[in-house]
Amino acid sequence: MPYPRHLIQEGETVALDLRPHWWYFSRNILTGLPLAVVLVVVISERKHLGWAHDVVIYPLIAAVLIWAGWLTLKYFQWTMTHFVVTSRRVIYRTGVLSKKGVEIPLERVNNINFAQSIWDRIIGAGNLDIESAGKDGQSHFDFIRHPDGVQNEIYRQMEGRNMPAPAVAPAVPASPAGPSQSVPDQIEQLAQLRDRGHITPEEYERKKAQLLERM
């Protein structure tokens, strides 16, 4: 689901509309993998566990259901989280029922820093810090996709906003067209060309007849 169009101002263009990187689900992944392994072991060793199987399996199933509900909630939070860069603002919006938003006008941005660990560089994720002139001072954003590219795009939008508008050259009025030559004048010029030998008498007569037909 893209960022709602009705929240974009008139004349404002969207340069980036990003959701968090998939590493946003890292806690769910790291919790779910060992839980899945334990569940598979308990089910496969059912005969060997005996009465202990019934003691372990029900709490384990409850834990799996809780984990699935947690993952579902996390997914909806992910779908409703947007990091948007426009020609005027940096916008961060998140929340399923209750909403939280941050807006930073580009003209107030003072500095942009990003941080990536080795693992972050491998998967293409990272954190972004934007320093702005205002009461908040610095805004921190996690799980940004390719934060170095986002940093460059914000700077590019800032430069485009600060560039002066191209000067419009004044319109040059078209010069009025000169009066067209009359047919007698054109016949006279043809006669001069004939007398000088530039055209033959036959060509003169043919061109003269064409001009006379226009009268």
Side-chain angles (χ1 to χ4, degrees):
M1 182 183 298
Y3 188 72
R5 298 296 97 181
H6 68 275
L7 297 178
I8 300 299
Q9 300 172 357
E10 184 177 358
E12 186 177 22
T13 57
V14 176
L16 291 176
D17 183 0
L18 304 176
R19 288 192 179 90
H21 190 273
W22 61 264
W23 193 239
Y24 180 81
F25 299 99
S26 58
R27 293 181 181 178
N28 303 80
I29 295 172
L30 296 177
T31 305
L33 287 177
L35 193 61
V37 171
V38 172
L39 181 62
V40 170
V41 170
V42 170
I43 293 175
S44 61
E45 298 295 329
R46 179 177 182 178
K47 294 181 180 179
H48 298 87
L49 292 175
W51 61 270
H53 173 270
D54 295 335
V55 174
V56 175
I57 191 64
Y58 294 112
L60 189 58
I61 291 175
V64 171
L65 293 176
I66 293 172
W67 174 84
W70 179 35
L71 179 61
T72 301
L73 178 60
K74 196 73 172 178
Y75 173 77
F76 282 113
Q77 290 177 344
W78 179 84
T79 59
M80 300 301 292
T81 300
H82 296 270
F83 184 91
V84 180
V85 178
T86 75
S87 56
R88 299 176 183 174
R89 302 172 289 168
V90 175
I91 306 169
Y92 180 79
R93 186 179 177 90
T94 186
V96 179
L97 298 177
S98 60
K99 296 289 185 179
K100 175 186 176 182
V102 176
E103 290 190 13
I104 306 173
L106 293 182
E107 61 267 19
R108 293 187 181 179
V109 175
N110 294 329
N111 193 31
I112 308 170
N113 300 314
F114 73 91
Q116 286 182 296
S117 64
I118 296 177
W119 174 247
D120 289 335
R121 293 186 63 185
I122 293 173
I123 63 176
N127 303 327
L128 201 67
D129 292 309
I130 300 179
E131 297 179 4
S132 60
K135 63 179 182 179
D136 294 332
Q138 186 178 77
S139 300
H140 180 80
F141 305 99
D142 295 321
F143 306 108
I144 301 297
R145 298 173 182 267
H146 303 289
D148 51 343
V150 174
Q151 179 193 51
N152 291 334
E153 182 60 32
I154 296 175
Y155 280 134
R156 191 177 73 84
Q157 294 297 324
M158 292 171 62
E159 291 174 1
R161 186 169 179 81
N162 294 330
M163 288 179 62
V168 179
V172 179
S175 58
S180 60
Q181 289 182 322
S182 63
V183 172
D185 292 338
Q186 295 183 52
I187 293 175
E188 184 179 354
Q189 290 182 356
L190 286 172
Q192 292 176 1
L193 293 173
R194 179 200 59 191
D195 296 340
R196 293 173 185 174
H198 294 301
I199 60 175
T200 63
E202 291 80 7
E203 291 174 337
Y204 167 76
E205 294 296 336
R206 185 171 62 253
K207 294 291 184 180
K208 178 182 176 181
Q210 293 175 355
L211 290 172
L212 291 173
E213 289 177 355
R214 299 178 186 177
M215 295 183 65

